[in-house]
Amino acid sequence: MKVTVIGGGPAGLYFSILYKKAWPQARITVYERNRPDDTFGFGVVFSDQTLETFQNYDLESYRSITENFAYWDDIEIRAKGTVHRIGGNGFCGCSRATLLKLLHQRAQQLGVELKFQTEITDIEGALRDADLVIGSDGINSRIRETYKDHFKPSVDLRPNRFTWMGSTKPLDAFTFYFKETKFGIIIVHSYQYEPGRSTWIFETDPETFAKLGLDPLDEPGSARLMEELFAEELQGHKLIINRSMWRNFPAIRCDRWVYENCVILGDAKATAHFSIGSGTKLAMEDAIGLYESFRKTGGQNVKAALTHYETTRREEVEKTQHSANVSLVWFEHVKRFWNMNPTRFVFGLMTRSKAITYDNLALRAPEFVDEVDHMMAEETKAAGFANVDTKTPVPPMFQPFRLRDMVIPNRVVVSPMCQYSAKDGMPNDWHLVHLGSRAIGGAGLVYAEMTDVSADARISPGCTGLWNGEQEAAWKRIVDFVHANSAAKICMQLGHAGRKGATKLSWEGDSEPLPEGAWPIISASPIPYFPNSQVPREMTRADMDRTVADFVAATERAHRAGFDMVELHAAHGYLLASFISPITNKRSDEYGGSLENRMRFPLEVFSAMRKVWPKEKPMSVRISATDWIDGGVTGDDAVKISEMFKAAGCDMIDVSTGQTDPDSAPVYGRMYQTPFSDQIRNEAHIATMAVGAVTTADQVNTIVAAGRADLVALARPHLMDPYFTLRAAGWYGAPNVYCPPQYLSGRDQLYRNAERDRADLTELKLKAKPKPQIDTWKQAAE
Ligand SMILES: Cc1cc2nc3c(=O)[nH]c(=O)nc-3n(C[C@H](O)[C@H](O)[C@H](O)COP(=O)(O)OP(=O)(O)OC[C@H]3O[C@@H](n4cnc5c(N)ncnc54)[C@H](O)[C@@H]3O)c2cc1C
Ligand SMILES: Cc1cc2nc3c(=O)[nH]c(=O)nc-3n(C[C@H](O)[C@H](O)[C@H](O)COP(=O)(O)O)c2cc1C
């Protein structure tokens, strides 16, 4: 087998080593345009876990790498005059130059031919001459460019500017500096990688960069300015430059990685932002992935191996890229979090990419999580809850929250969920048991399903309503039960289905039109939801007047039924959402066009409801914070929408997304809508409720403590587990969650078992944590 490797970076070299070791008869040549000792960059970092993988694949290179590594366990965060040190992070650093030298030696020892100062320009020729071509030619890959129509790369050039520099300043932890300068905030990601050498990546937003007045290419000039601004941190140490231009990070991905007998690896195929570790790790793991594909397909069958690689490796790479993207977005929005309490700021930083959570940190850095719990308790006390225990505080999700005069005993909410089980809009025993049992289960707030303001406002014939006295009485029975038997508050969600009305029960065909018995429907514009859906009538002013009156009457009924709170449903493509989104609102009058115009009718409805809803009771609005469609509502629009509702007297935004149109393309994942809640809460400065793929109490704690939402709603998890909150209270040993006396013995048993399970888990995790073995550099330095 003749293998040509274009690019002698970590990806190309490591693959050559692994392949040659397994199949020594292969003829492998690595072409590298640089000289062996040329290198850019400074240090590279690997986690304990990555090193363990290297150990399993090639003990020799693992040994030589680890002999040259610096090891640290802590992340230090210096921000806003505070220093936080968080343990349990297990990272190693080494110089990129040394890493490449060791990989050169190992490759040569195995018989890989290395040709330095040889630039491959004839890519087609390279493909013809070899059985296998490895495209490991880095971020500006010529191979990717040559076959771009096939690989289909996309490059998302991120707005922040960054540069890699080095320094002689010693550091004993991975250190983040967040420094407010007269130009703006500048962030440093820094770590030591060998005695007397550390990496310093400077990052800042485009406005600050413009104010710095730097010529991106003037490396010595920018190093001098950074030395001046970070004089206190550098403590007299100099910055070192080596191709240290200020650049924008390109987030690269490719639809395909394989072309004929050629495969792209490392930075050539996908980049991962430096804030979650080095691209070097991803590059070397790609090499391992490709080697594994050869191993599993017999070693010699190029086509089978490359196909296997492309299908098996993609998920892992996309997961890493997704985490990296979430992380880089946090750094791009650091200004959004700057005014937070420093403890919350640090907690937000640590948990930014979802891999680290509240529970996770509680095991690695219990004293920091203790600080977080205390911060939440102190804040809650300062918000008027005099009796909050600030000495031995409960986890964040169990702290109470106030909206106007309504006190919610904890941060867990049962999200509104249509049950499609009513007849003529009448809630019945199903609704009583469904909502009643979830209230007993300990959630702080329980939402009634989307309840319609008139018979022709319903989604389906099974939807509940609140347009007559009988329905009001039936709801009162449910509300009274909740109040009498639980500590939960109960919120009525009022809505109008608009163009998504007159459809089947969801389990018979979600949003599908009723074959018979359909009623006429209305919307902002006459656009059917599906091509086969009923075409709604464009609303006239008379329709608007009637709709406002219906919402007002239902709001008055909700008050008489005893609801603690009312929510206006302006999300998911229903009537009011159809006004807000430019995808569904094509009107040419004062209710269409600009966002202000599109908001006019929803605000009119909201203001009319607010007028009749008692001052002391809160109101919220559910919005779709993005349509997930090009040209639709975006997160930035959602901030403006929230500000408008806030000005009209809204107390909280219930932040959902999408469902505007069948063309919506949501990006699902754990807590996938929470970033929108985060943006709205911290930019529009209004309370928010996050919802969407939140499934654990750990996630609720993480979201609340990081200030990404004030309340967290769970829908589907509550369908299977009405007792979610009581169970969580048992697990964390939180004594302040109300349990009905009938169930106390069950709760006590839960507490006892949880205490034992938590102790076992801590012991297990501590045992599993690998011991830092790579401290030769540290010892030498000491
Ligand atoms: C300026 C800069 C500084 C960086 N500093 C660090 C750092 O300090 N720590 C860190 O972890 N990561 C750093 N990175 C990121 C890191 O280098 C990459 O993520 C990682 O090296 C990817 O490995 P790779 O093998 O895919 O590509 P690379 O390491 O980029 O290797 C690609 C190689 O291919 C060679 N090449 C390209 N085209 C040809 C051709 N046609 N013919 C022959 N040879 C060719 C290049 O010279 C290069 O050596 C830095 C990146 C940049 C751009
Ligand atoms: C069965 C079901 C019914 C729903 N009905 C409503 C509703 O009436 N009003 C509403 O705003 N959202 C409704 N939703 C959306 C949920 O409130 C929630 O936003 C969504 O399911 C995401 O949360 P989850 O991932 O926790 O399920 C419903 C969801 C489900 C699963």
Side-chain angles (χ1 to χ4, degrees):
M1 169 93 93
K2 184 177 174 193
V3 184
T4 293
V5 179
I6 305 179
L13 289 169
Y14 204 53
F15 173 75
S16 306
I17 290 169
L18 299 181
Y19 193 88
K20 184 77 181 168
K21 199 169 76 153
W23 295 282
Q25 70 281 16
R27 280 178 297 133
I28 305 182
T29 311
V30 177
Y31 295 93
E32 169 54 53
R33 64 183 171 200
N34 291 335
R35 287 172 306 204
D37 47 1
D38 274 348
T39 189
F40 57 80
F42 299 91
V44 297
V45 289
F46 299 121
S47 65
D48 282 344
Q49 213 183 358
T50 309
L51 280 168
E52 235 174 82
T53 312
F54 294 168
Q55 185 175 17
N56 296 336
Y57 279 91
D58 184 49
L59 197 58
E60 282 74 8
S61 56
Y62 164 81
R63 281 205 185 114
S64 56
I65 290 169
T66 51
E67 274 162 19
N68 287 280
F69 258 87
Y71 182 92
W72 66 89
D73 200 44
D74 291 348
I75 290 186
E76 186 167 294
I77 297 133
R78 292 177 171 259
K80 305 175 66 159
T82 64
V83 181
H84 283 88
R85 240 183 133 91
I86 293 160
N89 296 289
F91 268 99
C92 307
C94 121
S95 112
R96 179 178 153 98
T98 309
L99 175 71
L100 289 179
K101 195 173 84 193
L102 299 171
L103 294 178
H104 292 158
Q105 284 166 358
R106 177 69 178 138
Q108 280 167 328
Q109 183 195 47
L110 288 164
V112 174
E113 190 182 0
L114 302 184
K115 287 201 169 167
F116 292 101
Q117 292 177 272
T118 315
E119 177 150 7
I120 301 294
T121 48
D122 177 12
I123 305 292
E124 298 262 343
L127 258 64
R128 270 196 313 274
D129 283 356
D131 300 305
L132 169 67
V133 174
I134 305 294
S136 49
D137 53 347
I139 208 158
N140 297 316
S141 170
R142 190 190 286 255
I143 299 166
R144 189 182 67 224
E145 192 52 31
T146 308
Y147 302 115
K148 64 171 187 264
D149 290 343
H150 178 81
F151 291 127
K152 295 205 171 21
S154 64
V155 182
D156 176 10
L157 215 53
R158 302 305 307 182
N160 270 11
R161 292 291 192 122
F162 76 96
T163 177
W164 296 76
M165 294 193 190
S167 171
T168 49
K169 165 92 168 75
L171 295 164
D172 63 356
F174 190 110
T175 308
F176 286 111
Y177 296 99
F178 292 86
K179 182 146 187 146
E180 196 166 23
T181 70
K182 62 181 174 187
F183 306 103
I185 301 165
I186 302 176
I187 306 159
V188 181
H189 313 240
S190 62
Y191 55 89
Q192 181 153 346
Y193 58 86
E194 63 181 31
R197 283 286 186 280
S198 46
T199 295
W200 286 59
I201 307 168
F202 294 92
E203 177 180 6
T204 194
D205 60 74
E207 297 79 39
T208 307
F209 185 75
K211 286 189 202 147
L212 287 168
L214 285 173
D215 171 351
L217 301 180
D218 176 9
E219 298 174 52
S222 79
R224 274 195 305 277
L225 181 58
M226 290 304 116
E227 275 168 0
E228 231 173 79
L229 293 173
F230 286 84
E232 194 189 326
E233 290 76 10
L234 285 162
Q235 295 173 325
H237 289 271
K238 292 273 163 227
L239 287 172
I240 304 162
I241 49 174
N242 180 358
R243 296 206 210 168
S244 304
M245 289 84 75
W246 286 86
R247 292 168 304 140
N248 298 80
F249 181 79
I252 297 175
R253 66 177 307 284
C254 291
D255 283 0
R256 295 191 189 134
W257 303 340
V258 173
Y259 175 69
E260 296 182 351
N261 57 337
C262 167
V263 54
I264 45 177
L265 295 194
D267 274 4
K269 62 141 215 342
T271 54
H273 192 246
F274 46 81
S275 61
I276 65 154
S278 75
T280 311
K281 163 193 138 74
L282 196 63
M284 289 173 73
E285 286 175 352
D286 279 350
I288 292 173
L290 181 59
Y291 157 74
E292 273 297 338
S293 293
F294 272 100
R295 201 176 61 80
K296 289 192 176 126
T297 54
Q300 308 300 314
N301 186 339
V302 171
K303 192 160 185 262
L306 299 194
T307 309
H308 183 271
Y309 171 73
E310 188 155 36
T311 42
T312 54
R313 175 94 183 118
R314 186 166 283 278
E315 191 181 329
E316 202 47 47
V317 170
E318 290 193 346
K319 262 203 264 173
T320 307
Q321 272 199 305
H322 181 69
S323 300
N325 285 349
V326 175
S327 171
L328 74 84
V329 167
W330 190 93
F331 285 97
E332 286 170 2
H333 292 105
V334 75
K335 269 197 280 191
R336 188 190 286 167
F337 314 113
W338 195 244
N339 291 326
M340 283 181 172
N341 173 306
T343 306
R344 170 165 284 142
F345 178 85
V346 170
F347 184 80
L349 167 70
M350 291 302 299
T351 57
R352 69 193 180 281
S353 68
K354 302 197 269 192
I356 297 178
T357 60
Y358 176 89
D359 279 2
N360 212 272
L361 276 173
L363 286 170
R364 307 156 169 232
E367 60 304 325
F368 177 61
V369 171
D370 205 40
E371 179 183 324
V372 170
D373 289 349
H374 277 88
M375 176 237 1
M376 277 291 301
E378 291 294 348
E379 262 188 15
T380 309
K381 189 169 185 171
F385 292 95
N387 294 330
V388 159
D389 182 355
T390 51
K391 289 219 167 63
T392 47
V394 289
M397 67 184 285
F398 302 111
Q399 293 294 356
F401 187 65
R402 190 194 308 274
L403 288 169
R404 299 210 180 200
D405 284 0
M406 181 182 83
V407 171
I408 307 167
N410 61 64
R411 308 305 182 99
V412 183
V413 178
V414 176
S415 200
M417 279 181 282
C418 285
Q419 297 297 293
Y420 306 100
S421 304
K423 199 162 172 287
D424 299 326
M426 279 290 288
N428 52 41
D429 284 356
W430 175 264
H431 302 89
L432 174 71
V433 174
H434 168 69
L435 293 170
S437 56
R438 274 138 198 92
I440 291 171
L445 177 64
V446 174
Y447 269 67
E449 65 193 80
M450 170 165 145
T451 296
D452 306 303
V453 295
S454 61
D456 57 358
R458 286 175 301 165
I459 306 170
S460 76
C463 289
T464 53
L466 194 43
W467 65 82
N468 63 36
E470 238 184 309
Q471 292 158 350
E472 180 185 317
W475 278 116
K476 186 167 186 315
R477 175 170 170 247
I478 295 169
V479 172
D480 288 348
F481 178 89
V482 169
H483 286 158
N485 295 288
S486 79
K489 296 294 189 287
I490 181 161
C491 176
M492 163 53 72
Q493 187 188 52
L494 290 176
H496 187 307
R499 73 170 183 150
K500 290 170 91 176
T503 58
K504 296 180 184 173
L505 307 188
S506 82
W507 52 80
E508 289 173 357
D510 198 28
S511 304
E512 289 289 348
L514 281 173
E516 52 195 54
W519 49 87
I521 56 174
I522 51 174
S523 189
S525 298
I527 309 168
Y529 186 70
F530 290 129
N532 65 331
S533 297
Q534 189 187 152
V535 180
R537 190 178 76 242
E538 179 173 290
M539 279 179 86
T540 61
R541 185 60 240 182
D543 290 326
M544 291 183 193
D545 291 343
R546 187 200 138 192
T547 304
V548 171
D550 288 344
F551 269 99
V552 167
T555 307
E556 288 171 331
R557 287 200 170 92
H559 173 54
R560 287 198 297 268
F563 280 98
D564 302 293
M565 175 176 174
V566 74
E567 174 165 292
L568 175 63
H569 199 326
H572 300 170
Y574 296 121
L575 184 69
L576 299 178
S578 77
F579 275 85
I580 299 174
S581 170
I583 302 292
T584 46
N585 183 342
K586 303 290 179 196
R587 298 177 73 102
S588 53
D589 60 5
E590 70 266 40
Y591 299 100
S594 67
L595 179 61
E596 284 67 25
N597 280 1
R598 286 182 274 123
M599 282 293 289
R600 200 180 300 278
F601 181 59
L603 282 170
E604 200 181 313
V605 173
F606 181 85
S607 301
M609 289 166 71
R610 185 71 263 183
K611 268 201 195 114
V612 298
W613 186 246
K615 264 204 177 59
E616 66 280 7
K617 289 190 183 185
M619 277 185 74
S620 61
V621 179
R622 177 168 266 205
I623 63 167
S624 286
T626 173
D627 286 329
W628 301 110
I629 304 176
D630 283 345
V633 167
T634 64
D636 290 344
D637 295 331
V639 172
K640 293 188 197 127
I641 293 166
S642 305
E643 282 168 346
M644 291 186 223
F645 278 122
K646 180 183 169 188
C650 174
D651 303 293
M652 185 179 82
I653 300 292
D654 173 359
V655 188
S656 188
T657 66
Q659 300 177 45
T660 311
D661 192 84
D663 283 346
S664 299
V667 181
Y668 292 116
R670 277 172 296 162
M671 305 178 272
Y672 72 107
Q673 297 176 149
T674 302
F676 297 97
S677 162
D678 190 352
Q679 182 176 9
I680 292 170
R681 183 178 186 273
N682 295 305
E683 289 186 8
H685 305 292
I686 180 167
T688 60
M689 178 161 87
V691 62
V694 178
T695 51
T696 65
D698 178 26
Q699 291 168 348
V700 178
N701 276 318
T702 308
I703 292 169
V704 171
R708 297 189 179 113
D710 298 281
L711 300 177
V712 182
L714 290 79
R716 288 162 297 175
H718 270 125
L719 288 180
M720 288 301 104
D721 185 3
Y723 297 93
F724 175 87
T725 310
L726 267 180
R727 268 188 222 286
W731 174 251
Y732 288 106
N736 66 335
V737 175
Y738 175 79
C739 177
Q742 296 92 326
Y743 290 0
L744 274 175
S745 56
R747 201 255 331 240
D748 291 347
Q749 187 187 38
L750 194 68
Y751 272 40
R752 277 194 303 277
N753 291 348
E755 207 172 322
R756 196 193 53 220
D757 292 349
R758 278 176 71 81
D760 287 354
L761 184 70
T762 310
E763 203 182 323
L764 214 72
K765 282 268 160 83
L766 290 177
K767 267 193 205 144
K769 190 172 172 291
K771 288 257 172 308
Q773 328 141 348
I774 310 128
D775 52 3
T776 41
W777 158 77
K778 247 189 167 172
Q779 283 162 5
E782 280 156 15

